[in-house]
């Protein structure tokens, strides 16, 4: 029987980063994945690092997103140094293009909303936006520059995190999925794999929208998959420096010259097929935003599943089973929230306190909602 201080189910960016933090704190930690690590949502993502809320319901996540973004430069430096790998971090800001004919009102609303949340945002006239990003369409009427936002190559980042975790002492077991938590009374004693028990003082579930398939976890992780289709383009005569957004699309430049365009948002179960309609939507919005992309080569298309909780907020923290923690439901912001998630889980495990309030994201909130009882935090 394997024995660790901490056992993690799920080897994506979240499980990998938690393992790295825990290993660096000097604990024995292992990651168990049902397949090769780093091949799911963390691979499929766009890698935009933006704490700006997409809708009013996401405002509750802004402090967490800001805290995570602030950790990013140091986090990336550490991961790159330990792994010896590059992550394609681009702290160059993002630019949101507005096409509406009433941009004056729209612009002041967006700027006021951002400033109200303590997020930096600057209004730009169309000509100034095009001076920064000449690829932008002539139809753009105004823009918002968010200079503190960034992007990262999520595929490189995930691989580098897993390598750094491994080099720091974390053991990684691909093709070793968790079947159930190993429960003894009100305590979680580790994980049950297909043919083996893993004993651990702490167990962390970071298996995204598959978390609920691990027996004993479903009440804490009502996470459904939200499919996103993406395309990677390459255009010799189009240069994009920052992440560009419009209402319909984002374009994310990579250091290798690719431009990642995405993404659809579909609730289609666990289906990951790329469809003609999905790619048509992406390409047509991409060309509207940056017309030079009409001549771009399509290098790759893919789809991934975002982990979407009922309130679209992450599910983070201890459960009412002693020793069991959850880190999932990061929806469209899992790459952004990676450093803070790893930090908070490590703090809870090593110090039983956290430096950023995470009660709002408790895995117990769904149980409380379902049973009508108030949530009770474990000691
Ligand atoms: C199209 C798309 C675009 C996105 N864009 C962005 C973006 O721009 N910015 C951003 O911040 N976020 C973005 N996201 C969200 C982000 O990618 C995810 O929130 C994040 O990758 C989740 O990481 P994870 O480690 O929880 O999941 P995953 O990377 O999916 O890792 C979970 C792992 O658990 C494993 N697993 C499953 N079942 C079991 C089991 N029973 N036992 C053990 N292991 C198991 C899986 O094999 C997998 O390796 C995007 C997502 C998608 C799909």
């Amino acid at each position: 029987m394997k024995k660790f201080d901490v056992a993690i189910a799920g080897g994506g960016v979240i499980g990998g980063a938690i393992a790295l933090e825990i290993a660096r704190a000097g604990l024995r930690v292992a990651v168990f994945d049902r397949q090769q690590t780093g091949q799911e949502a963390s691979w499929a993502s766009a890698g935009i690092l933006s704490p700006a809320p997409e809708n009013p319901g996401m405002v509750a996540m802004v402090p967490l997103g800001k805290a995570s973004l602030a950790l990013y430069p140091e986090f990336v430096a550490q991961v790159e140094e330990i792994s010896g790998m590059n992550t394609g971090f681009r702290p160059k800001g993002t630019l949101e293009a507005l096409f509406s004919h009433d941009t004056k009102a729209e612009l002041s609303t967006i700027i006021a909303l951002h400033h109200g949340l303590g997020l930096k945002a600057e209004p730009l006239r169309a000509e100034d936006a095009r001076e920064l990003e000449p690829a932008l369409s002539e139809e753009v009427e105004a823009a918002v520059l968010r200079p503190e936002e960034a992007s990262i190559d999520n595929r490189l980042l995930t691989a580098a995190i897993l390598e750094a975790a491994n080099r720091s002492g974390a053991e990684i077991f691909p093709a070793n999925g968790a079947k159930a938590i190993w429960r003894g009374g009100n305590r979680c004693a580790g994980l049950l794999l297909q043919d083996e028990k893993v004993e651990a003082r702490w167990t962390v579930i970071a298996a995204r929208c598959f978390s609920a398939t691990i027996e004993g976890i479903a009440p804490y992780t009502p996470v459904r998959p939200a499919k996103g289709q993406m395309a990677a383009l390459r255009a010799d005569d189009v240069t994009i420096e920052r992440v560009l957004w419009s209402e319909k699309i984002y374009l994310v430049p990579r250091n290798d010259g690719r431009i990642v365009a995405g993404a659809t948002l579909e609730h289609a179960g666990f289906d990951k097929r790329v469809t003609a309609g999905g790619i048509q939507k992406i390409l047509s919005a991409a060309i509207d935003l940056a017309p030079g992309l009409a001549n771009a080569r399509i290098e790759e298309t893919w789809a991934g599943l975002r982990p979407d909780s009922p309130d679209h907020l992450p599910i983070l923290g201890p459960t009412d089973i002693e020793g069991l923690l959850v880190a999932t439901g990061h929806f469209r912001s899992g790459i952004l929230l990676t450093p803070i998630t790893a930090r908070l889980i490590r703090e809870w495990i090593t110090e039983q306190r956290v430096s950023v309030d995470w009660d709002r994201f408790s895995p117990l909130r769904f149980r409380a909602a379902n049973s009508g009882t108030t949530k009770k935090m474990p000691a």
Side-chain angles (χ1 to χ4, degrees):
M1 184 171 66
K2 295 186 175 72
K3 196 171 170 184
F4 298 92
D5 297 311
V6 183
I8 300 169
V13 76
I14 298 292
I18 294 170
L20 172 60
E21 276 264 344
I22 301 272
R24 285 178 54 76
L27 299 184
R28 281 204 67 201
V29 54
V31 176
F32 297 89
D33 201 293
R34 64 175 188 164
Q35 56 182 21
Q36 273 304 322
T37 52
Q39 299 303 308
E40 285 282 344
S42 306
W43 176 90
S45 181
I48 303 168
L49 307 178
S50 166
E54 285 174 62
N55 56 58
M58 312 285 282
V59 166
M61 211 182 74
V62 171
L64 202 65
K66 279 167 67 179
S68 206
L69 187 60
L71 290 176
Y72 243 100
E74 191 192 326
F75 177 71
V76 161
Q78 184 189 75
V79 167
E80 291 190 344
E81 193 191 326
I82 301 174
S83 67
M85 294 160 77
N86 191 278
T87 61
F89 182 45
R90 291 171 67 99
K92 293 175 182 248
T94 70
L95 193 148
E96 181 178 351
L98 306 179
F99 285 85
S100 102
H101 291 293
D102 191 13
T103 40
K104 218 170 162 193
E106 199 181 341
L107 203 55
S108 52
T109 309
I110 296 176
I111 299 289
L113 276 173
H114 280 74
H115 290 176
L117 294 166
L119 298 167
K120 256 201 183 148
E122 298 164 15
L124 289 181
R125 293 179 309 162
E127 46 280 29
D128 297 331
R130 270 192 294 275
E131 203 178 311
L132 286 180
E133 295 289 350
L136 282 174
S137 160
E138 290 291 327
E139 306 288 317
V140 169
E141 298 273 338
V144 178
L145 178 67
R146 298 198 285 252
E148 292 178 337
E149 297 188 342
S151 69
I152 196 157
D153 187 324
N154 41 283
R155 295 181 185 176
L156 297 181
L157 174 72
T158 306
I161 285 176
L162 288 160
E163 178 65 23
N166 195 226
R167 288 190 183 186
S168 302
E171 294 186 50
I172 298 183
F173 297 93
N176 267 283
K179 235 175 28 179
I181 55 167
W182 178 7
R183 195 160 171 182
N186 198 40
R187 206 184 129 56
C188 178
L191 288 172
L192 302 180
L193 311 181
Q194 274 320 316
D195 308 310
E196 204 182 347
K197 281 182 176 174
V198 176
E199 188 181 331
R201 161 121 171 67
W202 298 94
T203 302
V204 184
I205 305 298
R208 197 183 32 121
C209 37
F210 299 99
S211 300
T213 64
I214 301 172
E215 208 182 302
I217 296 302
Y220 308 106
T221 59
V223 178
R224 66 176 179 154
K227 174 174 166 182
Q229 301 190 45
M230 306 267 284
L233 310 176
R234 193 180 288 274
D236 303 327
D237 47 1
V238 177
T239 307
I240 297 177
E241 273 299 301
R242 301 160 184 80
V243 173
L244 302 182
W245 311 80
S246 75
E247 213 180 31
K248 296 186 187 148
I249 185 96
Y250 51 69
L251 299 172
V252 188
R254 298 282 194 233
N255 288 347
D256 66 1
R258 286 178 15 138
I259 297 166
V260 172
T264 62
L265 179 60
E266 306 161 62
H267 287 106
F270 288 87
D271 169 28
K272 281 203 290 187
R273 278 172 303 180
V274 174
T275 63
I279 295 303
Q280 183 204 26
K281 253 194 216 163
I282 291 171
L283 296 181
S284 132
I287 293 167
D288 283 350
L289 182 57
L293 290 178
N295 292 321
R297 295 187 298 284
I298 301 172
E299 285 208 340
E300 190 187 347
T301 58
W302 67 92
L305 305 175
R306 311 170 183 95
D308 187 13
S309 73
D311 55 14
H312 314 300
L313 297 174
I315 307 176
L316 290 181
T319 63
D320 49 4
I321 300 178
E322 203 192 320
L324 178 67
L325 291 115
V326 172
T328 188
H330 295 83
F331 194 31
R332 306 188 81 167
S333 306
I335 307 296
L336 168 69
L337 295 175
T338 292
I340 194 71
T341 299
R343 167 82 55 100
L344 295 177
I345 296 282
R346 193 263 300 152
E347 285 175 351
W348 185 262
I349 286 176
T350 57
E351 303 166 32
Q352 282 81 59
R353 53 153 207 95
V354 281
S355 53
V356 175
D357 181 15
W358 67 355
D359 278 3
R360 176 73 185 81
F361 311 112
S362 167
L364 301 181
R365 69 187 188 273
F366 307 109
R367 304 200 65 181
N370 291 341
S371 65
T373 57
T374 48
K375 81 179 182 192
K376 185 171 169 289
M377 300 293 286

